[in-house]
Amino acid sequence: MKLITHNMLTSKCIKGVLTGFPLAINATDIKIKEVDFNSEFITRVIPKLDWEVLWCAANSIGHSDGLPKTIEPKFEEDEEFLKKAHHVLLEIEVEEGHLTCPESGRQFPISKGIPNMLLTEAEVQ
Amino acid sequence: MSAVIKLKTLQGHLQDLNGFTKPKVQFEQYETPAHIAAVALYTIQTQYGSLQDKLVLDAGCGPGILSIGAVMMGAASVTAIDIDRDALEVLQENIDDLDINNIDTLLCDFLDEKTCRWENYFDTVLMNPPFGTKNNTGIDMRFLQMGLRCTCNSVYSLHKSTTRSHIEKKIKEWGVKGNVIAELRYDLPATYKFHRKQSQDIAVDLWRVYHSDS
Ligand SMILES: C[S@@+](CC[C@H](N)C(=O)[O-])C[C@H]1O[C@@H](n2cnc3c(N)ncnc32)[C@H](O)[C@@H]1O
């Protein structure tokens, strides 16, 4: 699971859960995988994200080094920042661990890099 | 618009991928044949420029022929989701074999809109949805509708040609636009016991469905 994916995940589908966002990350195995840098692409993706959630997620797994807590107005001109964002969003992979719903405490296992967001019928609203 | 690689090269790579190990009938698991996937992806890139440098979702990815083909056509980042863990593990094998690092996999129910905050998020959504022939009629239309929610631009989806007028009607109902951009022939293998014939030759349409304002 990459952090770009984590930024979009919620546990709102659980019965009784109102926002279910963001999910806490517990990582026991993290791998770094190289992905080609594309500044135009990263510039387009950043405004779609919840940046604060991204920063906290990266920080919680020990990878927020050099990542600013907030985005500057002219971030697209800052190549160094874009490269850092690219790295955090696309190159860090949580291979093993779990995600936790902030409201219910329900855990979603991540194994072989695949988060399992499926719920049983009794759990859904 | 240009293509990153040739159609023949793309088809050659896609032919070598691992398929479902034990296809599950309740999820309608059959792969898109390599020649169909290749022509579809090639058309999507060369006619509409919807893959190169794009953020792509593969909904109901199975072993991932569309995800992997999208990467070969230059997609920047692909999210591949399926409801079946076994299928995703085959996809992982395929991407490990090819050393691909920009496909992220996720096990979830695509039809549950609450799992992901994906409204208008992806540039392009690709799918070969379950046809919905057995106990779940209409699942193809629910996939298409969910795909539209998840994109700020277009959904590209494969459907039996016999459903064409039904889809035309639905698209009008939803207030979106769409048209068939390629007509293809799908040689559905006799994967399941209830198929009496050896294989069925089915005409399929590649649809491009998009928001009226995009
Ligand atoms: C016809 S297969 C297509 C597989 C692959 N995309 C391809 O083109 O070769 C449909 C896929 O959708 C998956 N699927 C069915 N229902 C689903 C759901 N509700 N959410 C996510 N995936 C689903 C199945 O497991 C299967 O892999």
Side-chain angles (χ1 to χ4, degrees):
Chain A
M1 182 197 68
K2 296 177 194 285
L3 295 185
I4 189 174
T5 303
H6 168 263
N7 210 269
M8 300 294 142
L9 290 181
T10 88
S11 52
K12 207 173 155 183
C13 36
I14 301 176
K15 213 186 282 175
V17 168
L18 296 177
T19 43
F21 182 77
L23 302 175
I25 306 177
N26 189 295
T28 53
D29 182 24
I30 292 174
K31 284 203 172 70
I32 307 295
K33 296 186 178 170
E34 207 175 304
V35 175
D36 291 343
F37 174 63
N38 179 333
S39 68
E40 178 268 341
F41 173 73
I42 287 293
T43 302
R44 227 155 37 76
V45 164
I46 287 173
K48 295 176 187 261
L49 306 169
D50 185 321
W51 189 264
E52 196 185 330
V53 166
L54 177 72
W55 189 88
C56 292
N59 193 48
S60 75
I61 58 170
H63 283 270
S64 62
D65 258 11
L67 191 71
K69 271 194 179 173
T70 51
I71 311 173
E72 297 295 321
K74 287 195 174 167
F75 71 87
E76 66 273 14
E77 292 166 10
D78 184 349
E79 172 114 344
E80 205 181 312
F81 162 74
L82 294 176
K83 283 196 168 144
K84 186 73 208 173
H86 162 84
H87 174 69
V88 170
L89 284 167
L90 301 176
E91 297 192 318
I92 297 170
E93 297 245 11
V94 178
E95 291 287 325
E96 302 289 329
H98 60 258
L99 300 168
T100 309
C101 166
E103 290 164 52
S104 67
R106 163 71 149 91
Q107 295 188 348
F108 300 92
I110 304 170
S111 74
K112 295 190 195 167
I114 309 170
N116 180 353
M117 299 304 295
L118 294 177
L119 297 169
T120 63
E121 236 164 84
E123 290 175 300
V124 295
Q125 332 235 10
Chain B
M1 268 150 283
S2 64
V4 185
I5 55 173
K6 290 200 180 102
L7 177 58
K8 270 220 172 115
T9 318
L10 177 65
Q11 182 174 335
H13 287 310
L14 297 182
Q15 253 151 13
D16 294 338
L17 298 177
N18 301 309
F20 291 107
T21 31
K22 266 196 204 155
K24 295 181 183 129
V25 70
Q26 77 270 30
F27 297 136
E28 294 187 51
Q29 295 184 330
Y30 36 82
E31 302 94 19
T32 306
H35 71 279
I36 290 204
V39 170
L41 294 163
Y42 198 80
T43 307
I44 293 167
Q45 173 55 29
T46 54
Q47 304 288 310
Y48 301 96
S50 294
L51 294 173
Q52 196 173 0
D53 299 335
K54 301 296 186 206
L55 180 61
V56 176
L57 173 69
D58 181 358
C61 59
I65 196 164
L66 299 178
S67 294
I68 291 166
V71 165
M72 289 172 173
M73 295 305 289
S77 179
V78 178
T79 306
I81 70 167
D82 204 281
I83 199 164
D84 179 39
R85 173 152 199 112
D86 295 337
L88 289 174
E89 289 200 7
V90 180
L91 168 57
Q92 278 294 353
E93 254 171 61
N94 281 328
I95 63 187
D96 289 346
D97 287 351
L98 292 163
D99 244 333
I100 290 174
N101 285 342
N102 54 348
I103 297 178
D104 208 17
T105 49
L106 181 62
L107 178 58
C108 71
D109 182 351
F110 181 55
L111 299 177
D112 184 341
E113 81 271 14
K114 291 193 197 118
T115 309
C116 301
R117 305 160 57 241
W118 282 343
E119 283 92 60
N120 303 322
Y121 177 68
F122 292 98
D123 296 316
T124 301
V125 176
L126 304 173
M127 58 172 80
N128 178 3
F131 286 146
T133 38
K134 293 285 139 185
N135 302 318
N136 48 3
T137 39
I139 191 173
D140 52 341
M141 290 300 111
R142 285 160 66 207
F143 255 72
L144 196 53
Q145 199 167 17
M146 187 60 73
L148 276 160
R149 280 180 66 129
C150 297
T151 182
C152 53
N153 201 312
S154 309
V155 180
Y156 295 91
S157 186
L158 291 161
H159 296 271
K160 281 185 189 167
S161 300
T162 50
T163 62
R164 195 181 294 179
S165 56
H166 181 60
I167 296 177
E168 278 164 359
K169 207 179 87 198
K170 284 286 173 194
I171 285 176
K172 264 207 194 119
E173 227 175 272
W174 298 336
V176 295
K177 290 187 182 158
N179 50 291
V180 174
I181 60 170
E183 296 180 42
L184 304 151
R185 298 203 76 82
Y186 198 127
D187 196 22
L188 193 69
T191 324
Y192 307 128
K193 292 198 192 81
F194 59 78
H195 288 153
R196 266 176 244 120
K197 280 184 254 163
Q198 265 309 71
S199 72
Q200 278 175 301
D201 194 23
I202 296 175
V204 291
D205 293 337
L206 173 62
W207 276 88
R208 172 173 185 251
V209 184
Y210 54 100
H211 297 285
S212 308
D213 51 10
S214 67

